[in-house]
Amino acid sequence: MPSRPNPIRPKLFINKTKTLFLILTISSSLVILFAILYFVYHLWISLLNRSRTIPFDVSASPLKLQLFTYKELKLATNDFDEANVIGKGGSGTVFRGITRDGKLFAVKRLDNLSLQTETEFQNELQILGGLKSYFLVTLLGYCDEKNHRFLIYEYMPNKSLQELLFNEDGDSCLNWERRFSIILDVAKALEFMHFGCDPPVIHGDIKPSNVLLDSEFRAKISDFGLSRVKVEGGYGVDLFSQDLGKSQELCGNFGGESTPQTAIGTPTHHEVDFALALQASSSSKNSRTSRNIKGMNLNSMSLAMEGETKGKEVSHDGDDSKVLSCEDHEFDQSKEMNLSPNSVLDLGKGSKQWGRDWWWKQEGSGELCSKDYVREWIGSQIHSANPDWDDEKKIINTPELGVSSRAIDKAEDRDGSGLNESRFDTLEEKFAKEEISETKNKKSKKKKKKHRNMEEWWKEEEHQEDANNKKKIRILRIKFKNRLKVPHFRYCFRGKGESSVHDREGEAAGEFSFRRGWRRKSNSSSKKKNNNNRSMGSEMWSGDLFSRELSSTTSMRGTLCYIAPEYGGGCCYLMEKGDIYSFGVLILVIISGRRPLHVLASPMKLEKANLVSWCRQLAQSGNVLELVDEKLKDGYNKEEAGLCINLALACLQKAPELRPDVSEIVRILRGEMDISAAAFEFSPSPPAKFYGSRSKRRS
Ligand SMILES: Nc1ncnc2c1ncn2[C@@H]1O[C@H](COP(=O)(O)OP(=O)(O)OP(=O)(O)O)[C@@H](O)[C@H]1O
C-alpha cells in the first residue's frame, strides 16, 4: 500500500527556508548598516579633526593642537582682563588663562592683523606646533576666528629671562648656578633645533625675552615667529616668508614697490650702516664719527635718489668710499646695529615710522634704551658743529630726506638768521641782507611746498603698502587653505655632535612630518643666479639656501643687537650660525646682566655701551671677568664664567664658519671639549687668557 504523502513536511520546509532567508536578510542588512555607520563615523571623525587642525595637517604629526574658541579664551582670561596680562611683545599681548579644572596656560593675542602677525601665526603653528622638546615651550593650541588670532602655550611661571635680568626685583633670583644652567638649556634647545630635527630649524630670534623659565628656572625657547626650516643640499623652503611684513616695515617700500631681489642672497635694497656709525660713537675721534655719519647719509640719499643701487655696495664719492673700507676691520663689532633707510629718514621727521620698527626692543627701564641712545647720538651728531655736515648740505638736495632737510635747516639757520647783524652796517649791505632774506623766504616757501608734497607722498606710500599687504595676506591664507606642502621633518640627532639620541633630554623619537612628501626641485636658473652671487666667504651658503614663497626684502631678522653681521650685509637666509651669533650675545647678556647696547647717563661709561665691543676689549686686556654682573659679587664660578665669556667670543666671530656649532657648544659647556684656539684665529680680539677645559661636568 503506497504511503500517503505527509502534508506537514513541505510546509515545515517552506517555513524553515523562509526563516533562514529572513535571518540572512536581517543579519546582512545589519552588517551593511554597521559598515555604513562605521564609515560615516570615521568620515565624521576625520572631518572633525581636519576642521580642527586647518590650516595645516597635523594628522601626520605626533602632536595635535587644540582648537580653542574665542569664547573659551575669553572665559579663561576673564574677558582679557588687564590683570591677566603677563607680557607684551612686538606682535601681541600675552595673558594668563585658566581652564575649568584650574590649569594655567598662556594666551598670546596677536594684536592687529597684519601680514607680519599672520605670517608669525602660521609660522608658530607650522614649526613650533610640530616640535616637541623639553627645551622648547609647548604650543598647546590656537584660535583662528574671523579677525582673532591666538596662540596658546604652556604657562611659564617665571616669565622671561628679559624680565628676570632687567626688572629690579628679578635679578635677585638669578644666581650664578641658574645663569649657567640657563645658558646650557638654551644651547640644548638650539642643539635640538639644529641637530635634532631633520630638516633643521633655525630660530632666528634668540634673545632674552624669548627665553622663558619654568617653575624651576629651567629655560625653554619660545617665539618661532621668525624661524625657518632649512632643507639641505638644495633650495629649501622659506616656509612662510615670515619676514615679509617685518621686512617691509624695516626696509620701507619706496615707490610702493617691494625692493627688487636680484637673486637669492643679494637683495638690492639699501641699508644704512648705523652699526658702523654706532661703533664710531665709542671712539673719541670726532672725524671718524662724522665720516660715518656722512657715509650713512649718502647711503640713504642715494637710495632716495636712485632707488636701484645696491645697499652697502653703493659707491660713494671720494671720502665715503673710504669710510667703509677704513672701518672694515671693525665690521663685526659695529654690525650689531643696522637700520633701515626709512629709519634714517624718519629721524629727521620724528615720524611714526619709529613706532613701527618692531625690533627696537631693548626695553628701557629708566635708563636709556638703545633706541634712545641711537636717536640721541644721531641727534647730537646732526646738531653738533660737525664740519662734514657742511659738505652734506651741499650734496643733499632731496627734500625727502628727513635728516638731510634738518641739516639743511640748521645750515640755513646758521647762514640766515644766525648771521651777525653788525656786519651789515652800510646801506648796501642792508640791501644785500634783504635780498638774501628774500631768497631765503622763497626757498623756505619752496621747501614747505616740497614738504606738503612729501606728506602726500607718504600717504600714497602707506596706502599702497596697505594694499600690498592685504593682497599678500590673501595669497598666504589661500596657500595654507590649499595645503601648501611643507618639508618632511624627522627628529634625529646628526652632525658633529657626538652625543647620541639617548643622551639628549626632551627629544621625541620616531618620525613625523607636518606634511609629507614635500620637496621643491631646485630651479636651475635660480641656482645659476645664486652661484653668481656668492661672495666672499660664501662657501657657508652651500646647501643653506632657502627659496622664497613670497618676495621679501629683508635687511634684518631677529632683534637689534642679536642679529649676526651677515644678516645686516644683505644676506637673507637664516642659518644655524646666525643663531650661534645671537646665542653669543645672549651669553654675554646673561653673564653681565646688561643689555647688549646700554648707556648710562655718564659719558665715562660709553665704552661699555656696546657689550660685545667691551667684552672684546676686556679679552684683549685679559680681564674678561670684569664683565660679570656686579650683583653676583664673588658668588660665581670664575672658571665657568671665563669659559662662557670665551665661548661667547667664539660665537661672535665675524665669519660664520668660524663660530662653533651648537653641539660643540654643548660639549664645551659640559666640559667635554675645549674651546678651539683656531676659533679665534681670525677674530679681531683673540682672548688673552683661555679658560679651557672644565673639570666639572654638567649635564
Ligand atoms: N608661555 C608663557 N608663559 C609665561 N609668560 C609668557 C609666555 N609667553 C610669553 N610670556 C611673557 O610675555 C612676554 C611677551 O612675549 P612675546 O613672545 O609676545 O614677546 P617678545 O618675545 O618680547 O617680543 P616679540 O614677539 O615681538 O619678539 C614675554 O616676555 C614673557 O614675559
Side-chain angles (χ1 to χ4, degrees), residues 125 191 208 250 313 382 403 458 538 571 580 620 648 658:
L125 293 180
E191 190 184 32
L250 290 173
E313 287 115 54
I382 293 165
V403 171
W458 272 107
S538 62
C571 159
I580 301 298
Q620 268 165 349
L658 292 179

Side-chain angles (χ1 to χ4, degrees), residues 635-663:
Y636 69 93
N637 182 323
K638 287 189 176 146
E639 194 194 351
E640 282 179 353
L643 177 92
C644 288
I645 295 170
N646 283 321
L647 180 62
L649 284 168
C651 296
L652 289 166
Q653 292 186 96
K654 175 187 167 187
E657 59 269 40
L658 292 179
R659 297 173 205 148
D661 68 43
V662 73
S663 63

Side-chain angles (χ1 to χ4, degrees), residues 86-95 105-108 116 120 124 137-138 153-163 205 207-210 212-213 222-223 226 246 358 361 363 559:
I86 47 176
K88 270 190 181 163
S91 49
T93 312
V94 184
F95 295 87
F105 57 84
V107 185
K108 188 175 187 173
Q116 178 193 320
E120 276 186 52
E124 288 270 350
V137 168
T138 309
Y153 302 92
E154 71 172 297
Y155 181 69
M156 301 291 283
N158 281 309
K159 295 191 178 178
S160 72
L161 188 56
Q162 172 84 19
E163 274 133 307
D205 198 13
K207 59 173 179 174
S209 68
N210 288 338
L212 302 181
L213 300 153
S222 75
D223 202 343
L226 283 176
K246 288 187 180 177
W358 57 274
K361 284 175 198 155
E363 292 84 341
T559 301

Side-chain angles (χ1 to χ4, degrees), residues 281-282 366-368 373 376 594 598-610:
S281 73
S282 56
E367 290 167 342
L368 284 176
Y373 172 45
E376 193 179 278
R594 283 169 175 270
H598 180 107
V599 208
L600 301 170
S602 159
M604 296 299 289
K605 296 194 176 171
L606 202 61
E607 64 181 42
K608 297 180 183 177
N610 184 326

Side-chain angles (χ1 to χ4, degrees), residues 278-527:
L278 184 76
Q279 180 61 32
S281 73
S282 56
S283 149
S284 55
K285 288 177 194 162
N286 232 352
S287 59
R288 208 171 93 178
T289 311
S290 56
R291 273 193 322 220
N292 278 325
I293 280 277
K294 193 173 166 182
M296 281 158 36
N297 209 36
L298 273 176
N299 241 359
S300 54
M301 184 184 71
S302 55
L303 170 79
M305 292 196 304
E306 296 159 27
E308 282 299 314
T309 43
K310 293 185 181 180
K312 277 152 59 58
E313 287 115 54
V314 71
S315 61
H316 306 301
D317 297 333
D319 272 348
D320 304 301
S321 55
K322 286 176 208 153
V323 174
L324 290 179
S325 56
C326 78
E327 294 290 342
D328 203 34
H329 65 284
E330 286 182 347
F331 175 80
D332 56 333
Q333 298 182 26
S334 55
K335 277 292 200 160
E336 285 136 40
M337 294 194 59
N338 285 288
L339 299 184
S340 68
N342 265 11
S343 312
V344 181
L345 303 183
D346 293 325
L347 274 173
K349 296 185 301 161
S351 96
K352 62 181 179 159
Q353 285 287 312
W354 278 113
R356 289 170 52 185
D357 289 336
W358 57 274
W359 35 268
W360 286 110
K361 284 175 198 155
Q362 308 303 306
E363 292 84 341
S365 55
E367 290 167 342
L368 284 176
C369 70
S370 53
K371 174 181 170 180
D372 300 329
Y373 172 45
V374 179
R375 213 177 203 180
E376 193 179 278
W377 176 73
I378 291 163
S380 73
Q381 292 304 310
I382 293 165
H383 292 281
S384 65
N386 189 336
D388 283 11
W389 282 104
D390 290 330
D391 293 342
E392 288 305 305
K393 80 178 182 215
K394 284 174 212 153
I395 302 162
I396 298 162
N397 48 16
T398 44
E400 289 88 342
L401 300 176
V403 171
S404 322
S405 50
R406 251 198 181 192
I408 293 168
D409 285 349
K410 289 278 153 197
E412 280 179 356
D413 282 347
R414 279 203 300 275
D415 294 341
S417 58
L419 290 175
N420 191 341
E421 305 247 345
S422 65
R423 288 170 60 198
F424 300 94
D425 286 332
T426 64
L427 209 62
E428 250 178 34
E429 278 170 330
K430 275 183 184 169
F431 277 135
K433 188 190 167 189
E434 274 165 23
E435 224 174 77
I436 290 170
S437 71
E438 223 169 77
T439 347
K440 296 289 160 199
N441 278 346
K442 272 183 195 166
K443 268 189 187 174
S444 76
K445 270 182 195 166
K446 237 185 187 176
K447 215 172 72 183
K448 268 184 193 165
K449 200 179 168 194
K450 279 180 181 174
H451 190 72
R452 257 206 315 277
N453 289 341
M454 199 177 130
E455 274 176 13
E456 281 162 21
W457 181 77
W458 272 107
K459 267 185 195 162
E460 276 170 30
E461 274 295 293
E462 282 204 354
H463 226 75
Q464 184 70 40
E465 196 183 313
D466 265 6
N468 284 347
N469 281 352
K470 274 179 193 155
K471 198 172 153 194
K472 277 168 184 167
I473 290 177
R474 264 206 311 277
I475 295 170
L476 196 71
R477 290 195 71 76
I478 289 167
K479 276 195 172 184
F480 282 108
K481 289 266 152 70
N482 289 343
R483 306 176 136 235
L484 172 77
K485 289 184 176 177
V486 297
H488 174 91
F489 273 80
R490 278 180 297 133
Y491 284 134
C492 66
F493 270 89
R494 57 189 176 74
K496 289 185 194 173
E498 281 168 17
S499 38
S500 68
V501 178
H502 318 287
D503 273 6
R504 294 170 172 85
E505 303 156 56
E507 71 265 14
E511 189 177 293
F512 81 99
S513 69
F514 293 124
R515 198 173 290 275
R516 292 182 184 274
W518 188 91
R519 269 283 183 256
R520 170 184 282 234
K521 279 193 181 161
S522 56
N523 158 328
S524 61
S525 69
S526 53
K527 235 181 200 173

